[in-house]
Amino acid sequence: MKILEFDHYNLSAPRELLESLRLFYTETVGLTVGYRPPFQKFGYWLYAGDRPVLHLSESSQDDFVPSGLTSFNHAAFNCSGLHEFEQRLSKLGVKFTTARSPELKRIQLFFDDPAGNGVELNFPEE
């Protein structure tokens, strides 16, 4: 038995925050809304290419209790078009930091989504 690959991650939030997350991940990060089976709870599946990598699901305000009691730090995406992403983030007013990973020959952009979850975008060094 072995793990074959990472499939997706899920963010759960009340409807208003869920809509903010959907807009952020589509307009800022570049994921696209795609097919989602008809689950009982409202939500979205956001795709990178043909893979639904981020699931957004509605929770009630009572179910949603933001706290600092989590070990989640960030989700990372492999990307292309570093300069276009930097321009997009700046234009949208998204504060980000840049780092280099010399052994992996990557440039990384780090920022937070509207719920405070970390996002990492990885680009090959040019």
Side-chain angles (χ1 to χ4, degrees):
M1 179 173 82
K2 63 182 177 176
I3 300 293
L4 300 175
E5 65 184 4
F6 176 79
D7 189 74
H8 71 277
Y9 70 108
N10 181 286
L11 300 177
S12 181
R15 179 73 65 107
E16 185 176 335
L17 179 54
L18 195 72
E19 292 301 333
S20 295
L21 290 167
R22 178 187 58 81
L23 284 172
F24 182 84
Y25 281 99
T26 57
E27 295 179 2
T28 303
V29 177
L31 299 178
T32 57
V33 176
Y35 173 75
R36 178 181 181 267
F39 295 111
Q40 282 187 318
K41 287 189 175 185
F42 179 81
Y44 300 101
W45 279 10
L46 303 184
Y47 285 67
D50 62 352
R51 296 205 46 211
V53 297
L54 171 55
H55 297 179
L56 300 176
S57 57
E58 184 177 29
S59 66
S60 71
Q61 190 64 41
D62 294 337
D63 294 337
F64 181 71
V65 182
S67 73
L69 303 175
T70 179
S71 61
F72 181 81
N73 183 266
H74 68 271
F77 299 93
N78 292 326
C79 305
S80 63
L82 171 64
H83 300 295
E84 292 87 355
F85 263 105
E86 289 174 320
Q87 290 173 346
R88 179 190 296 181
L89 294 173
S90 293
K91 181 180 176 183
L92 294 170
V94 176
K95 294 179 182 176
F96 64 93
T97 59
T98 303
R100 291 189 183 281
S101 179
E103 285 190 18
L104 300 176
K105 297 187 179 186
R106 290 183 177 186
I107 297 172
Q108 301 164 306
L109 303 180
F110 293 95
F111 50 94
D112 290 336
D113 72 15
N117 300 304
V119 179
E120 173 186 325
L121 303 182
N122 290 294
F123 302 85
E125 273 188 349
E126 297 173 354

